[in-house]
mmCIF file of all heavy atoms in Angstrom:
data_model
loop_
_atom_site.group_PDB
_atom_site.id
_atom_site.type_symbol
_atom_site.label_atom_id
_atom_site.label_comp_id
_atom_site.label_asym_id
_atom_site.label_seq_id
_atom_site.Cartn_x
_atom_site.Cartn_y
_atom_site.Cartn_z
ATOM 1 N N LEU G 289 -18.545 -9.913 -13.795
ATOM 2 C CA LEU G 289 -19.905 -10.134 -13.332
ATOM 3 C C LEU G 289 -20.895 -9.631 -14.383
ATOM 4 O O LEU G 289 -20.575 -8.729 -15.169
ATOM 5 C CB LEU G 289 -20.131 -9.403 -12.010
ATOM 6 C CG LEU G 289 -19.275 -9.875 -10.825
ATOM 7 C CD1 LEU G 289 -19.560 -9.003 -9.601
ATOM 8 C CD2 LEU G 289 -19.538 -11.336 -10.517
ATOM 9 N N PRO G 290 -22.108 -10.183 -14.396
ATOM 10 C CA PRO G 290 -23.101 -9.768 -15.413
ATOM 11 C C PRO G 290 -23.774 -8.439 -15.073
ATOM 12 O O PRO G 290 -24.974 -8.374 -14.804
ATOM 13 C CB PRO G 290 -24.100 -10.931 -15.384
ATOM 14 C CG PRO G 290 -24.023 -11.456 -13.979
ATOM 15 C CD PRO G 290 -22.588 -11.307 -13.569
ATOM 16 N N ILE G 291 -22.988 -7.366 -15.091
ATOM 17 C CA ILE G 291 -23.531 -6.034 -14.839
ATOM 18 C C ILE G 291 -24.162 -5.527 -16.138
ATOM 19 O O ILE G 291 -23.487 -5.472 -17.172
ATOM 20 C CB ILE G 291 -22.422 -5.074 -14.381
ATOM 21 C CG1 ILE G 291 -21.809 -5.574 -13.067
ATOM 22 C CG2 ILE G 291 -22.970 -3.664 -14.208
ATOM 23 C CD1 ILE G 291 -20.582 -4.801 -12.626
ATOM 24 N N PRO G 292 -25.431 -5.170 -16.122
ATOM 25 C CA PRO G 292 -26.104 -4.728 -17.353
ATOM 26 C C PRO G 292 -25.354 -3.596 -18.061
ATOM 27 O O PRO G 292 -25.041 -2.576 -17.457
ATOM 28 C CB PRO G 292 -27.476 -4.256 -16.858
ATOM 29 C CG PRO G 292 -27.716 -5.054 -15.609
ATOM 30 C CD PRO G 292 -26.354 -5.194 -14.967
ATOM 31 N N GLY G 293 -25.035 -3.808 -19.329
ATOM 32 C CA GLY G 293 -24.398 -2.790 -20.157
ATOM 33 C C GLY G 293 -22.896 -2.709 -20.061
ATOM 34 O O GLY G 293 -22.261 -2.003 -20.862
ATOM 35 N N LEU G 294 -22.285 -3.434 -19.141
ATOM 36 C CA LEU G 294 -20.834 -3.325 -18.962
ATOM 37 C C LEU G 294 -20.078 -3.828 -20.185
ATOM 38 O O LEU G 294 -19.191 -3.149 -20.705
ATOM 39 C CB LEU G 294 -20.394 -4.096 -17.711
ATOM 40 C CG LEU G 294 -18.885 -4.089 -17.413
ATOM 41 C CD1 LEU G 294 -18.393 -2.672 -17.139
ATOM 42 C CD2 LEU G 294 -18.558 -5.004 -16.232
ATOM 43 N N ALA G 295 -20.431 -5.002 -20.653
ATOM 44 C CA ALA G 295 -19.724 -5.570 -21.808
ATOM 45 C C ALA G 295 -19.917 -4.715 -23.051
ATOM 46 O O ALA G 295 -18.981 -4.503 -23.828
ATOM 47 C CB ALA G 295 -20.220 -6.994 -22.058
ATOM 48 N N GLN G 296 -21.147 -4.209 -23.237
ATOM 49 C CA GLN G 296 -21.434 -3.389 -24.418
ATOM 50 C C GLN G 296 -20.721 -2.042 -24.369
ATOM 51 O O GLN G 296 -20.288 -1.508 -25.397
ATOM 52 C CB GLN G 296 -22.955 -3.162 -24.536
ATOM 53 C CG GLN G 296 -23.763 -4.408 -24.814
ATOM 54 C CD GLN G 296 -24.022 -5.247 -23.563
ATOM 55 O OE1 GLN G 296 -23.578 -4.893 -22.473
ATOM 56 N NE2 GLN G 296 -24.730 -6.351 -23.740
ATOM 57 N N THR G 297 -20.576 -1.490 -23.167
ATOM 58 C CA THR G 297 -19.922 -0.187 -23.008
ATOM 59 C C THR G 297 -18.415 -0.304 -23.135
ATOM 60 O O THR G 297 -17.744 0.592 -23.637
ATOM 61 C CB THR G 297 -20.293 0.426 -21.642
ATOM 62 O OG1 THR G 297 -21.712 0.509 -21.542
ATOM 63 C CG2 THR G 297 -19.693 1.808 -21.487
ATOM 64 N N GLY G 298 -17.882 -1.423 -22.682
ATOM 65 C CA GLY G 298 -16.439 -1.636 -22.738
ATOM 66 C C GLY G 298 -15.745 -1.200 -21.461
ATOM 67 O O GLY G 298 -16.186 -0.261 -20.794
ATOM 68 N N PHE G 299 -14.683 -1.893 -21.108
ATOM 69 C CA PHE G 299 -13.998 -1.588 -19.854
ATOM 70 C C PHE G 299 -12.560 -2.097 -19.896
ATOM 71 O O PHE G 299 -12.217 -2.978 -20.686
ATOM 72 C CB PHE G 299 -14.735 -2.219 -18.671
ATOM 73 C CG PHE G 299 -14.890 -3.718 -18.773
ATOM 74 C CD1 PHE G 299 -13.965 -4.582 -18.201
ATOM 75 C CD2 PHE G 299 -15.962 -4.273 -19.458
ATOM 76 C CE1 PHE G 299 -14.107 -5.963 -18.302
ATOM 77 C CE2 PHE G 299 -16.117 -5.655 -19.569
ATOM 78 C CZ PHE G 299 -15.184 -6.500 -18.987
ATOM 79 N N LEU G 300 -11.749 -1.524 -19.036
ATOM 80 C CA LEU G 300 -10.387 -1.996 -18.833
ATOM 81 C C LEU G 300 -10.385 -3.073 -17.760
ATOM 82 O O LEU G 300 -11.264 -3.103 -16.900
ATOM 83 C CB LEU G 300 -9.483 -0.852 -18.374
ATOM 84 C CG LEU G 300 -9.252 0.316 -19.325
ATOM 85 C CD1 LEU G 300 -8.547 1.453 -18.589
ATOM 86 C CD2 LEU G 300 -8.437 -0.125 -20.531
ATOM 87 N N THR G 301 -9.394 -3.942 -17.783
ATOM 88 C CA THR G 301 -9.136 -4.877 -16.698
ATOM 89 C C THR G 301 -7.746 -4.586 -16.159
ATOM 90 O O THR G 301 -7.008 -3.751 -16.707
ATOM 91 C CB THR G 301 -9.200 -6.333 -17.188
ATOM 92 O OG1 THR G 301 -8.107 -6.561 -18.099
ATOM 93 C CG2 THR G 301 -10.526 -6.625 -17.886
ATOM 94 N N SER G 302 -7.365 -5.286 -15.112
ATOM 95 C CA SER G 302 -6.005 -5.103 -14.591
ATOM 96 C C SER G 302 -4.976 -5.488 -15.640
ATOM 97 O O SER G 302 -3.851 -4.953 -15.644
ATOM 98 C CB SER G 302 -5.811 -5.937 -13.323
ATOM 99 O OG SER G 302 -6.077 -7.306 -13.573
ATOM 100 N N ASP G 303 -5.330 -6.403 -16.553
ATOM 101 C CA ASP G 303 -4.422 -6.789 -17.637
ATOM 102 C C ASP G 303 -4.245 -5.658 -18.644
ATOM 103 O O ASP G 303 -3.127 -5.232 -18.948
ATOM 104 C CB ASP G 303 -4.944 -8.033 -18.354
ATOM 105 C CG ASP G 303 -4.883 -9.287 -17.488
ATOM 106 O OD1 ASP G 303 -4.316 -9.216 -16.379
ATOM 107 O OD2 ASP G 303 -5.402 -10.323 -17.923
ATOM 108 N N SER G 304 -5.363 -5.163 -19.173
ATOM 109 C CA SER G 304 -5.289 -4.146 -20.230
ATOM 110 C C SER G 304 -4.846 -2.786 -19.701
ATOM 111 O O SER G 304 -4.211 -2.008 -20.418
ATOM 112 C CB SER G 304 -6.629 -4.019 -20.949
ATOM 113 O OG SER G 304 -7.683 -3.711 -20.043
ATOM 114 N N ALA G 305 -5.153 -2.493 -18.431
ATOM 115 C CA ALA G 305 -4.733 -1.205 -17.862
ATOM 116 C C ALA G 305 -3.214 -1.097 -17.810
ATOM 117 O O ALA G 305 -2.651 -0.002 -17.921
ATOM 118 C CB ALA G 305 -5.317 -1.034 -16.462
ATOM 119 N N LEU G 306 -2.567 -2.241 -17.681
ATOM 120 C CA LEU G 306 -1.102 -2.248 -17.620
ATOM 121 C C LEU G 306 -0.453 -2.002 -18.981
ATOM 122 O O LEU G 306 0.759 -1.854 -19.066
ATOM 123 C CB LEU G 306 -0.605 -3.576 -17.056
ATOM 124 C CG LEU G 306 -0.838 -3.791 -15.552
ATOM 125 C CD1 LEU G 306 -0.546 -5.233 -15.175
ATOM 126 C CD2 LEU G 306 0.022 -2.834 -14.728
ATOM 127 N N GLU G 307 -1.260 -1.980 -20.030
ATOM 128 C CA GLU G 307 -0.726 -1.742 -21.373
ATOM 129 C C GLU G 307 -1.062 -0.355 -21.904
ATOM 130 O O GLU G 307 -0.717 -0.022 -23.033
ATOM 131 C CB GLU G 307 -1.265 -2.812 -22.339
ATOM 132 C CG GLU G 307 -0.874 -4.238 -21.976
ATOM 133 C CD GLU G 307 0.631 -4.423 -21.880
ATOM 134 O OE1 GLU G 307 1.356 -3.818 -22.693
ATOM 135 O OE2 GLU G 307 1.080 -5.166 -20.986
ATOM 136 N N LEU G 308 -1.722 0.478 -21.113
ATOM 137 C CA LEU G 308 -2.097 1.814 -21.565
ATOM 138 C C LEU G 308 -0.872 2.673 -21.852
ATOM 139 O O LEU G 308 0.095 2.665 -21.096
ATOM 140 C CB LEU G 308 -2.954 2.515 -20.506
ATOM 141 C CG LEU G 308 -4.385 2.018 -20.310
ATOM 142 C CD1 LEU G 308 -5.045 2.787 -19.167
ATOM 143 C CD2 LEU G 308 -5.200 2.179 -21.589
ATOM 144 N N GLU G 309 -0.934 3.400 -22.938
ATOM 145 C CA GLU G 309 0.147 4.329 -23.279
ATOM 146 C C GLU G 309 -0.310 5.783 -23.167
ATOM 147 O O GLU G 309 0.457 6.705 -23.415
ATOM 148 C CB GLU G 309 0.652 4.029 -24.693
ATOM 149 C CG GLU G 309 1.291 2.645 -24.801
ATOM 150 C CD GLU G 309 1.843 2.363 -26.182
ATOM 151 O OE1 GLU G 309 1.493 3.115 -27.125
ATOM 152 O OE2 GLU G 309 2.629 1.396 -26.326
ATOM 153 N N ARG G 310 -1.580 5.950 -22.799
ATOM 154 C CA ARG G 310 -2.133 7.289 -22.575
ATOM 155 C C ARG G 310 -3.031 7.247 -21.353
ATOM 156 O O ARG G 310 -3.836 6.331 -21.196
ATOM 157 C CB ARG G 310 -2.953 7.734 -23.798
ATOM 158 C CG ARG G 310 -3.491 9.159 -23.696
ATOM 159 C CD ARG G 310 -4.495 9.444 -24.802
ATOM 160 N NE ARG G 310 -5.734 8.687 -24.636
ATOM 161 C CZ ARG G 310 -6.754 9.087 -23.861
ATOM 162 N NH1 ARG G 310 -6.653 10.212 -23.162
ATOM 163 N NH2 ARG G 310 -7.844 8.364 -23.788
ATOM 164 N N LEU G 311 -2.886 8.238 -20.491
ATOM 165 C CA LEU G 311 -3.736 8.297 -19.305
ATOM 166 C C LEU G 311 -5.121 8.791 -19.677
ATOM 167 O O LEU G 311 -5.255 9.806 -20.376
ATOM 168 C CB LEU G 311 -3.138 9.252 -18.270
ATOM 169 C CG LEU G 311 -1.965 8.763 -17.432
ATOM 170 C CD1 LEU G 311 -1.421 9.920 -16.604
ATOM 171 C CD2 LEU G 311 -2.393 7.628 -16.528
ATOM 172 N N PRO G 312 -6.171 8.112 -19.211
ATOM 173 C CA PRO G 312 -7.508 8.671 -19.419
ATOM 174 C C PRO G 312 -7.679 9.916 -18.561
ATOM 175 O O PRO G 312 -7.043 10.055 -17.512
ATOM 176 C CB PRO G 312 -8.429 7.530 -18.954
ATOM 177 C CG PRO G 312 -7.603 6.731 -18.003
ATOM 178 C CD PRO G 312 -6.190 6.833 -18.508
ATOM 179 N N GLY G 313 -8.543 10.818 -18.992
ATOM 180 C CA GLY G 313 -8.773 12.027 -18.205
ATOM 181 C C GLY G 313 -9.502 11.741 -16.914
ATOM 182 O O GLY G 313 -9.318 12.439 -15.911
ATOM 183 N N SER G 314 -10.354 10.712 -16.942
ATOM 184 C CA SER G 314 -11.109 10.330 -15.753
ATOM 185 C C SER G 314 -11.342 8.828 -15.788
ATOM 186 O O SER G 314 -11.391 8.214 -16.852
ATOM 187 C CB SER G 314 -12.443 11.079 -15.685
ATOM 188 O OG SER G 314 -13.178 10.920 -16.892
ATOM 189 N N LEU G 315 -11.488 8.244 -14.609
ATOM 190 C CA LEU G 315 -11.574 6.795 -14.509
ATOM 191 C C LEU G 315 -12.477 6.399 -13.353
ATOM 192 O O LEU G 315 -12.354 6.933 -12.249
ATOM 193 C CB LEU G 315 -10.179 6.209 -14.290
ATOM 194 C CG LEU G 315 -10.057 4.697 -14.086
ATOM 195 C CD1 LEU G 315 -10.366 3.957 -15.383
ATOM 196 C CD2 LEU G 315 -8.646 4.334 -13.588
ATOM 197 N N THR G 316 -13.388 5.461 -13.617
ATOM 198 C CA THR G 316 -14.199 4.861 -12.560
ATOM 199 C C THR G 316 -13.720 3.436 -12.355
ATOM 200 O O THR G 316 -13.650 2.658 -13.311
ATOM 201 C CB THR G 316 -15.690 4.844 -12.928
ATOM 202 O OG1 THR G 316 -16.138 6.186 -13.164
ATOM 203 C CG2 THR G 316 -16.518 4.222 -11.813
ATOM 204 N N ILE G 317 -13.395 3.101 -11.118
ATOM 205 C CA ILE G 317 -12.913 1.757 -10.803
ATOM 206 C C ILE G 317 -14.004 0.998 -10.075
ATOM 207 O O ILE G 317 -14.497 1.442 -9.033
ATOM 208 C CB ILE G 317 -11.636 1.814 -9.949
ATOM 209 C CG1 ILE G 317 -10.519 2.501 -10.750
ATOM 210 C CG2 ILE G 317 -11.210 0.416 -9.517
ATOM 211 C CD1 ILE G 317 -9.208 2.608 -10.005
ATOM 212 N N LEU G 318 -14.382 -0.143 -10.623
ATOM 213 C CA LEU G 318 -15.374 -1.001 -9.990
ATOM 214 C C LEU G 318 -14.631 -2.005 -9.113
ATOM 215 O O LEU G 318 -13.994 -2.926 -9.611
ATOM 216 C CB LEU G 318 -16.208 -1.724 -11.053
ATOM 217 C CG LEU G 318 -16.895 -0.842 -12.106
ATOM 218 C CD1 LEU G 318 -17.742 -1.694 -13.046
ATOM 219 C CD2 LEU G 318 -17.756 0.231 -11.443
ATOM 220 N N GLY G 319 -14.698 -1.798 -7.816
ATOM 221 C CA GLY G 319 -14.014 -2.688 -6.888
ATOM 222 C C GLY G 319 -13.016 -1.959 -6.028
ATOM 223 O O GLY G 319 -12.210 -1.171 -6.535
ATOM 224 N N GLY G 320 -13.061 -2.220 -4.715
ATOM 225 C CA GLY G 320 -12.161 -1.555 -3.781
ATOM 226 C C GLY G 320 -11.268 -2.516 -3.033
ATOM 227 O O GLY G 320 -10.922 -2.277 -1.874
ATOM 228 N N GLY G 321 -10.883 -3.599 -3.708
ATOM 229 C CA GLY G 321 -9.910 -4.514 -3.118
ATOM 230 C C GLY G 321 -8.505 -4.025 -3.397
ATOM 231 O O GLY G 321 -8.287 -2.868 -3.776
ATOM 232 N N ALA G 322 -7.532 -4.919 -3.235
ATOM 233 C CA ALA G 322 -6.129 -4.534 -3.411
ATOM 234 C C ALA G 322 -5.867 -3.983 -4.810
ATOM 235 O O ALA G 322 -5.245 -2.924 -4.966
ATOM 236 C CB ALA G 322 -5.234 -5.738 -3.136
ATOM 237 N N VAL G 323 -6.342 -4.682 -5.842
ATOM 238 C CA VAL G 323 -6.082 -4.259 -7.219
ATOM 239 C C VAL G 323 -6.740 -2.911 -7.501
ATOM 240 O O VAL G 323 -6.117 -1.986 -8.045
ATOM 241 C CB VAL G 323 -6.585 -5.324 -8.211
ATOM 242 C CG1 VAL G 323 -6.508 -4.801 -9.644
ATOM 243 C CG2 VAL G 323 -5.776 -6.602 -8.075
ATOM 244 N N GLY G 324 -8.008 -2.762 -7.117
ATOM 245 C CA GLY G 324 -8.716 -1.516 -7.361
ATOM 246 C C GLY G 324 -8.069 -0.334 -6.667
ATOM 247 O O GLY G 324 -7.921 0.744 -7.253
ATOM 248 N N CYS G 325 -7.666 -0.527 -5.414
ATOM 249 C CA CYS G 325 -7.066 0.567 -4.646
ATOM 250 C C CYS G 325 -5.697 0.955 -5.192
ATOM 251 O O CYS G 325 -5.367 2.139 -5.280
ATOM 252 C CB CYS G 325 -6.967 0.177 -3.180
ATOM 253 S SG CYS G 325 -8.558 0.165 -2.318
ATOM 254 N N GLU G 326 -4.880 -0.028 -5.553
ATOM 255 C CA GLU G 326 -3.553 0.283 -6.086
ATOM 256 C C GLU G 326 -3.659 1.045 -7.404
ATOM 257 O O GLU G 326 -2.959 2.044 -7.611
ATOM 258 C CB GLU G 326 -2.753 -0.999 -6.269
ATOM 259 C CG GLU G 326 -2.309 -1.634 -4.955
ATOM 260 C CD GLU G 326 -1.529 -2.922 -5.136
ATOM 261 O OE1 GLU G 326 -1.348 -3.363 -6.292
ATOM 262 O OE2 GLU G 326 -1.098 -3.501 -4.131
ATOM 263 N N PHE G 327 -4.527 0.585 -8.292
ATOM 264 C CA PHE G 327 -4.695 1.282 -9.564
ATOM 265 C C PHE G 327 -5.299 2.668 -9.367
ATOM 266 O O PHE G 327 -4.942 3.619 -10.074
ATOM 267 C CB PHE G 327 -5.570 0.465 -10.516
ATOM 268 C CG PHE G 327 -4.795 -0.498 -11.380
ATOM 269 C CD1 PHE G 327 -4.897 -1.863 -11.177
ATOM 270 C CD2 PHE G 327 -3.977 -0.044 -12.391
ATOM 271 C CE1 PHE G 327 -4.190 -2.756 -11.972
ATOM 272 C CE2 PHE G 327 -3.262 -0.921 -13.191
ATOM 273 C CZ PHE G 327 -3.368 -2.284 -12.978
ATOM 274 N N ALA G 328 -6.220 2.802 -8.421
ATOM 275 C CA ALA G 328 -6.859 4.098 -8.179
ATOM 276 C C ALA G 328 -5.825 5.153 -7.831
ATOM 277 O O ALA G 328 -5.826 6.260 -8.378
ATOM 278 C CB ALA G 328 -7.889 3.968 -7.054
ATOM 279 N N GLN G 329 -4.913 4.808 -6.936
ATOM 280 C CA GLN G 329 -3.920 5.790 -6.528
ATOM 281 C C GLN G 329 -2.891 6.056 -7.629
ATOM 282 O O GLN G 329 -2.444 7.191 -7.809
ATOM 283 C CB GLN G 329 -3.224 5.317 -5.254
ATOM 284 C CG GLN G 329 -2.544 6.443 -4.499
ATOM 285 C CD GLN G 329 -2.151 6.020 -3.113
ATOM 286 O OE1 GLN G 329 -1.616 4.930 -2.902
ATOM 287 N NE2 GLN G 329 -2.402 6.878 -2.133
ATOM 288 N N PHE G 330 -2.548 5.024 -8.381
ATOM 289 C CA PHE G 330 -1.618 5.221 -9.496
ATOM 290 C C PHE G 330 -2.172 6.242 -10.479
ATOM 291 O O PHE G 330 -1.506 7.229 -10.825
ATOM 292 C CB PHE G 330 -1.365 3.899 -10.215
ATOM 293 C CG PHE G 330 -0.704 4.070 -11.561
ATOM 294 C CD1 PHE G 330 0.648 4.356 -11.657
ATOM 295 C CD2 PHE G 330 -1.442 3.974 -12.739
ATOM 296 C CE1 PHE G 330 1.254 4.542 -12.893
ATOM 297 C CE2 PHE G 330 -0.841 4.146 -13.977
ATOM 298 C CZ PHE G 330 0.512 4.436 -14.055
ATOM 299 N N PHE G 331 -3.380 6.022 -10.946
ATOM 300 C CA PHE G 331 -3.966 6.928 -11.942
ATOM 301 C C PHE G 331 -4.218 8.318 -11.357
ATOM 302 O O PHE G 331 -3.956 9.329 -12.008
ATOM 303 C CB PHE G 331 -5.265 6.339 -12.485
ATOM 304 C CG PHE G 331 -5.057 5.251 -13.501
ATOM 305 C CD1 PHE G 331 -5.296 3.917 -13.174
ATOM 306 C CD2 PHE G 331 -4.625 5.551 -14.779
ATOM 307 C CE1 PHE G 331 -5.095 2.912 -14.111
ATOM 308 C CE2 PHE G 331 -4.425 4.564 -15.723
ATOM 309 C CZ PHE G 331 -4.654 3.237 -15.388
#
């Protein structure tokens, strides 16, 4: 979605999050559907 500053700031998607080899210290998830909730609990 065209959220101001999102593209410039950079973000993970469900695709790229599955390729992480290091856990971030903190994470904000935009969206509380199935994908957002599953990833939230994993991290």
Side-chain angles (χ1 to χ4, degrees):
L289 297 177
I291 298 172
L294 179 63
Q296 294 80 359
T297 304
F299 58 93
L300 296 170
T301 67
S302 57
D303 291 353
S304 57
L306 288 169
E307 299 303 322
L308 288 177
E309 296 182 346
R310 184 191 69 85
L311 282 173
S314 53
L315 177 70
T316 301
I317 297 180
L318 306 183
V323 172
C325 287
E326 289 179 358
F327 270 110
Q329 200 167 44
F330 166 76
F331 282 107

